[in-house]
Amino acid sequence: MREITIRDAIREAIDEEMTRDDKVFLLGEEVAQYNGAYKISKGLLDKYGDKRIIDTPIVEGGFSGLATGAALTGLRPIVEFMSFNFSFVAFDQIVNNAMKIHYMSGGRFTVPIVFRGPNGAAARVSCQHSHNVEPLYAHLPGCIIVAPSTAYDSKGLLKAAIRNNNPVFFLENEMLYNNKGEVPDHDYTVEIGKAKVLNEGKHITLISYSRMIYYCDEVVQEYKKRGIEIELIDLRTIKPLDVGTIVASAKKTGRVVVVEEGHKYAGICAEVISVLQEFCLDYLDAPIKRVCQMETPLPYSPPLEAETIPNTKRIKNAIDEILVGVK
């Protein structure tokens, strides 16, 4: 095992899969000569050349459509969005082509494509660069959505995504790129569709993913000092959801708080809560709480930004509301 950043874990996954399979290639804005906006693709142009590491014009609709066509011919493109907010201008190509062709062709065509890049808020990038896109794309059939929080999962899940024969949205977070974690020296993948229990507990279940896991873990450690054992679950995959893991935990603890960086209305929290009330309502000892981004476009002001997205204070308030009577 060795310790590397999430940035390096993503780069290693791309590098190893390009070495393993010559059908894999990377395209996007500034991925080649500039080494990527966030230096994810640093050194890959020199290694693989400009036929497999391809700089594109600033036209997401064009290169998303090009990549979809390439996938239909048997190649395995990785599309980097400088920000997932920019995927909106390629919405037609992504939704009406990449996500639907397998169904519309009666299964004759597969679309093995990975759309990846930073998702959610960074630091003072304001509302047009801070969307959490997972609820939008999760609403539509024909795709897989992955949102890792660690170096280990980032590398293993991206390798699994590249090998998958379906469109996969691989959602990174700019604020996590420099976070470090251990990864194995050998080749490995992480199974898509499996959540991970990061901390065992008996009093309450706390469910989240991506950057919010770090806020949740801080809360878990604080309550541990007070004798409250919180079970922390990292979803890792948003779609398909690991129903078995979250239901088993909710049945064990009887109390659940769900946290997501995105907005409350029709969000991922709402989907998780719907699943829990369907499969374990009788096991719950308190209403399920959710902590989400405020129902407003994300402000540019740092103090307002910090109050708008979920924070440890709001997570603790939600937990306190449903811990009444717990000994």
Side-chain angles (χ1 to χ4, degrees):
M1 299 288 284
R2 56 201 165 80
E3 188 175 69
I4 62 174
T5 65
I6 288 178
R7 184 194 319 276
D8 290 336
I10 295 170
R11 181 190 303 114
E12 284 189 5
I14 296 171
D15 188 6
E16 290 176 13
E17 290 306 300
M18 289 186 69
T19 298
R20 190 186 67 87
D21 185 350
D22 61 9
K23 294 182 175 63
V24 178
F25 70 99
L26 173 70
L27 74 162
E29 295 153 354
E30 299 184 346
V31 300
Q33 294 187 31
Y34 190 67
N35 288 313
Y38 299 97
K39 306 308 175 189
I40 297 294
S41 53
K42 184 178 181 180
L44 296 183
L45 174 63
D46 293 337
K47 184 172 182 178
Y48 295 103
D50 59 8
K51 300 298 183 184
R52 297 183 68 191
I53 307 295
I54 303 171
D55 276 332
T56 67
I58 305 174
V59 53
E60 284 79 7
F63 63 76
S64 296
L66 183 153
T68 300
L72 288 170
T73 67
L75 300 178
R76 308 188 81 87
I78 304 168
V79 176
E80 176 175 308
F81 291 120
M82 192 179 294
S83 164
F84 250 102
N85 301 267
F86 303 155
S87 72
F88 297 157
V89 296
F91 202 75
D92 183 49
Q93 288 80 0
I94 293 170
V95 173
N96 282 327
N97 291 293
M99 291 170 60
K100 293 180 180 177
I101 285 175
H102 180 67
Y103 170 81
M104 293 174 67
S105 69
R108 286 177 293 174
F109 291 103
T110 58
V111 189
I113 187 170
V114 176
F115 298 103
R116 52 153 296 270
N119 174 61
R124 298 183 71 185
V125 293
S126 195
C127 55
Q128 291 182 321
H129 299 78
S130 301
H131 295 95
N132 290 84
V133 305
E134 57 271 27
L136 299 174
Y137 292 119
H139 180 68
L140 303 165
C143 71
I144 292 167
I145 301 176
V146 175
S149 64
T150 66
Y152 180 91
D153 289 339
S154 294
K155 183 174 181 179
L157 283 167
L158 182 52
K159 288 169 72 70
I162 294 169
R163 299 179 191 185
N164 197 283
N165 285 327
N166 300 284
V168 180
F169 293 88
F170 189 86
L171 307 181
E172 302 155 16
N173 189 287
E174 181 183 340
M175 304 302 289
L176 299 184
Y177 279 142
N178 288 328
N179 283 30
K180 290 185 176 181
E182 290 190 334
V183 301
D185 294 319
H186 59 79
D187 180 49
Y188 75 99
T189 60
V190 173
E191 184 178 357
I192 290 172
K194 293 294 182 182
K196 184 176 183 179
V197 178
L198 299 179
N199 188 78
E200 298 278 352
K202 64 180 181 180
H203 294 125
I204 189 168
T205 296
L206 186 56
I207 302 170
S208 192
Y209 59 94
S210 190
R211 180 187 176 194
M212 292 296 107
I213 284 294
Y214 292 87
Y215 292 83
C216 291
D217 184 63
E218 184 178 335
V219 171
V220 168
Q221 302 310 318
E222 184 173 329
Y223 276 82
K224 187 177 293 185
K225 298 174 184 176
R226 295 162 48 184
I228 302 295
E229 300 176 20
I230 299 176
E231 184 144 296
L232 177 58
I233 296 177
D234 185 350
L235 291 176
R236 302 195 294 185
T237 301
I238 306 302
K239 186 178 185 178
L241 198 63
D242 186 351
V243 174
T245 295
I246 62 176
V247 167
S249 181
K251 286 182 176 180
K252 179 172 70 171
T253 66
R255 291 172 169 82
V256 181
V257 172
V258 192
V259 182
E260 71 171 298
E261 188 180 316
H263 296 293
K264 184 175 182 179
Y265 189 87
I268 302 304
C269 282
E271 180 63 26
V272 172
I273 292 170
S274 177
V275 167
L276 293 176
Q277 70 83 26
E278 180 179 355
F279 290 105
C280 55
L281 180 62
D282 292 341
Y283 293 84
L284 298 175
D285 298 319
I288 302 172
K289 293 290 183 179
R290 53 181 163 167
V291 182
C292 308
Q293 187 178 148
M294 300 291 191
E295 284 296 299
T296 177
L298 193 72
Y300 180 74
S301 160
L304 292 178
E305 178 185 75
E307 287 299 314
T308 301
I309 65 173
N311 52 47
T312 55
K313 178 183 176 181
R314 291 208 283 132
I315 296 170
K316 287 188 288 186
N317 287 343
I319 291 172
D320 287 342
E321 287 180 14
I322 62 173
L323 277 179
V324 178
V326 173
K327 297 181 180 179

